[in-house]
Amino acid sequence: MTVITDAEFEEAEGLAPEVVRRYLSGKGWYAERGLSGAELWEWKPMDDPGRPYEILVPLQRRKDFAGRVVDILETLAVVEARRPGDILREMQLPPVDWQFLRLVPPGPSGTAPLLDLVSALTGLKDLHTAAASSALLPQAVQPGQKPQVVKEHVASVRLDQTRVGSYVVAAHTPLPDLRPGQQQDEAGQAWLFHDDAFPGSGQVSHSSEPFARTVSRMLFAGVTCAYAAAEETLARDSLADFEGYTGAGLSANLCEALVKIAGEERRAFSLAFDWSSELRMEQASPPVTLGPRHVQVLEEGAKDLRERAAREEGAILQGVVTRLSGQGDRQATIYGSLLREDASRMRSVRVELRPEDVDKATVAWRNGLEVAVRGDVEPYRTGVRMREVRAFVVRAE
């Protein structure tokens, strides 16, 4: 048993009783009964038919308060297979949601190849980016230019000390402190998991829910949908309709992030979620495990989502003509944005012009005038092109 240090003993003495109780509640412990100035709390592993673990939690600061907290820490250290000091430090954290990425690399337990870890951490960052983007607006493909709130969320994610179990990367997302007496919207808390919202509802968030929690929930839902879509594909030996899950957080970006976590060797991994007890999560959120076959399917699913997103009949393109080419100048390159996408996402689109559009495109090119074109968009090389043009309008200066 690891002995707690003098400095940690002093920190334990400064803990508030409600902090200890909040931590225990968040870890699945429950108060069995009250005693004189204390509560008896219990925890029982689901796969263990034996007697539960018990701890005595003081409700008031008395002379032996620090000693009682140390007893609690030592029991928790056995249950969680962690140092008492690490648990004490976690108790002192502000409200956070946790994500645990468990890798299964070759070699001794507790170690990981550098290249595997670099890829996994990059994928974890991309995973949070995709979830935060979907929390604002669920889309099959999230635009490359991210809103500031997404960047700020990713910047707020912190890595904690690794956990026991091969190689576990622990990340947490800070939540804002709830004001005393503030009530969470329990109906809003469950919105992401209702039958009409999972998958495909397109609902985003509720004003009573902090954005960081919305992202955590979207992350869990998106990863769960990715697993469901992969399982469906493997079961029927045909690519599932990934697009049907995009309303609940699945996107090509999220699938690509999961593929990146698996690394070049396509190693299995799992993601587990733990929620701040100050903002309760009633919906069960079991870990999601992805194997090499899942990862391969997710790579195919991401490509399919991108190809589908690149196709649109009757799309409207707005921009400026940067080049005329082809026989009779029948092809124009227009730098601009598609109406259905974020206006900040600018791209070069090859447009196949009708004979009657050539003179108008030439005037726009020579004078730097903006144009609006309506036609069918489809994938082309690494981008998109527009064919079957229905309208070509030059906007006056």
Side-chain angles (χ1 to χ4, degrees):
M1 181 176 64
T2 305
V3 178
I4 196 165
T5 66
D6 290 341
E8 290 167 346
F9 186 89
E10 292 179 4
E11 290 180 24
E13 191 171 22
L15 282 180
E18 57 268 22
V19 170
V20 179
R21 298 170 76 244
R22 183 177 65 226
Y23 179 88
L24 293 173
S25 177
K27 295 297 183 180
W29 290 74
Y30 59 93
E32 174 62 21
R33 61 181 181 274
L35 302 172
S36 178
E39 287 179 337
L40 182 66
W41 285 63
E42 292 186 352
W43 180 81
K44 186 176 182 179
M46 295 183 62
D47 57 352
D48 187 352
R51 297 180 60 187
Y53 287 91
E54 295 181 343
I55 52 178
L56 195 62
V57 181
L59 300 180
Q60 300 174 351
R61 292 180 178 277
R62 293 182 176 174
K63 196 168 186 178
D64 63 344
F65 179 79
R68 302 289 71 76
V69 173
V70 169
D71 291 342
I72 294 172
L73 292 173
E74 290 176 346
T75 300
L76 291 174
V78 173
V79 171
E80 300 181 20
R82 299 168 60 196
R83 289 184 59 254
D86 294 340
I87 297 172
L88 174 62
R89 183 181 54 80
E90 187 174 326
M91 283 185 178
Q92 296 170 306
L93 288 175
V96 295
D97 284 338
W98 290 88
Q99 300 88 40
F100 299 100
L101 171 58
R102 182 178 183 273
L103 306 176
V104 192
S109 178
T111 69
L114 177 61
L115 293 180
D116 283 19
L117 197 54
V118 169
S119 180
L121 291 178
T122 303
L124 185 60
K125 175 184 74 70
D126 292 349
L127 203 61
H128 270 276
T129 302
S133 300
S134 291
L136 291 177
L137 178 62
Q139 297 183 80
V141 178
Q142 294 294 345
Q145 185 65 31
K146 308 301 181 188
Q148 186 61 30
V149 66
V150 172
K151 298 177 182 178
E152 290 174 355
H153 168 80
V154 175
S156 74
V157 179
R158 311 290 296 180
L159 291 183
D160 203 76
Q161 296 175 345
T162 57
R163 300 291 194 265
V164 173
S166 192
Y167 198 95
V168 180
V169 178
H172 61 75
T173 307
L175 300 176
D177 287 319
L178 294 175
R179 298 186 301 273
Q182 181 176 348
Q183 299 294 320
Q184 59 176 316
D185 181 353
E186 294 183 359
Q189 287 294 298
W191 69 268
L192 195 55
F193 305 93
H194 284 167
D195 291 340
D196 60 351
F198 179 64
S201 73
Q203 290 177 294
V204 182
S205 65
H206 291 250
S207 59
S208 61
E209 182 176 68
F211 182 67
R213 167 52 66 85
T214 304
V215 175
S216 296
R217 296 165 67 82
M218 188 66 78
L219 178 56
F220 169 68
V223 172
T224 302
C225 286
Y227 173 81
E231 280 285 289
E232 183 180 339
T233 297
L234 293 172
R236 71 183 194 184
D237 197 25
S238 176
L239 192 63
D241 180 16
F242 277 61
E243 197 169 21
Y245 292 92
T246 56
L250 184 67
S251 65
N253 312 68
L254 183 134
C255 291
E256 290 160 352
L258 293 172
V259 172
K260 192 173 294 184
I261 289 174
E264 293 185 1
E265 300 299 325
R266 298 294 189 262
R267 306 192 197 282
F269 65 91
S270 67
L271 277 159
F273 302 83
D274 196 5
W275 312 89
S276 170
S277 59
E278 293 197 7
L279 200 57
R280 282 198 167 278
M281 170 71 161
E282 301 300 336
Q283 175 71 30
S285 49
V288 178
T289 300
L290 298 172
R293 296 179 67 201
H294 295 109
V295 173
Q296 182 180 355
V297 170
L298 292 177
E299 189 170 25
E300 296 172 1
K303 292 178 181 178
D304 183 65
L305 285 173
R306 287 193 177 276
E307 288 182 1
R308 286 172 179 256
R311 299 181 186 275
E312 182 184 4
E313 293 185 0
I316 297 177
L317 172 66
Q318 300 177 116
V320 294
V321 180
T322 59
R323 184 185 179 189
L324 293 173
S325 60
Q327 187 174 5
D329 289 337
R330 288 286 301 277
Q331 293 184 347
T333 300
I334 298 178
Y335 182 74
S337 61
L338 293 167
L339 190 62
R340 63 181 169 83
E341 297 181 337
D342 189 335
S344 64
R345 185 180 184 183
M346 306 292 287
R347 62 164 83 197
S348 291
V349 180
R350 179 77 62 87
V351 179
E352 296 185 2
L353 301 174
R354 300 171 300 180
E356 62 265 33
D357 298 327
V358 174
D359 288 343
K360 290 185 285 186
T362 302
V363 170
W365 174 59
R366 288 175 176 171
N367 297 281
L369 300 177
E370 185 176 343
V371 301
V373 190
R374 185 169 181 265
D376 298 341
V377 173
E378 65 182 22
Y380 179 70
R381 295 179 180 174
T382 58
V384 296
R385 67 179 174 183
M386 178 176 282
R387 309 178 74 179
E388 302 296 331
V389 170
R390 298 162 177 64
F392 191 105
V393 177
V394 179
R395 296 187 172 180
E397 292 185 276

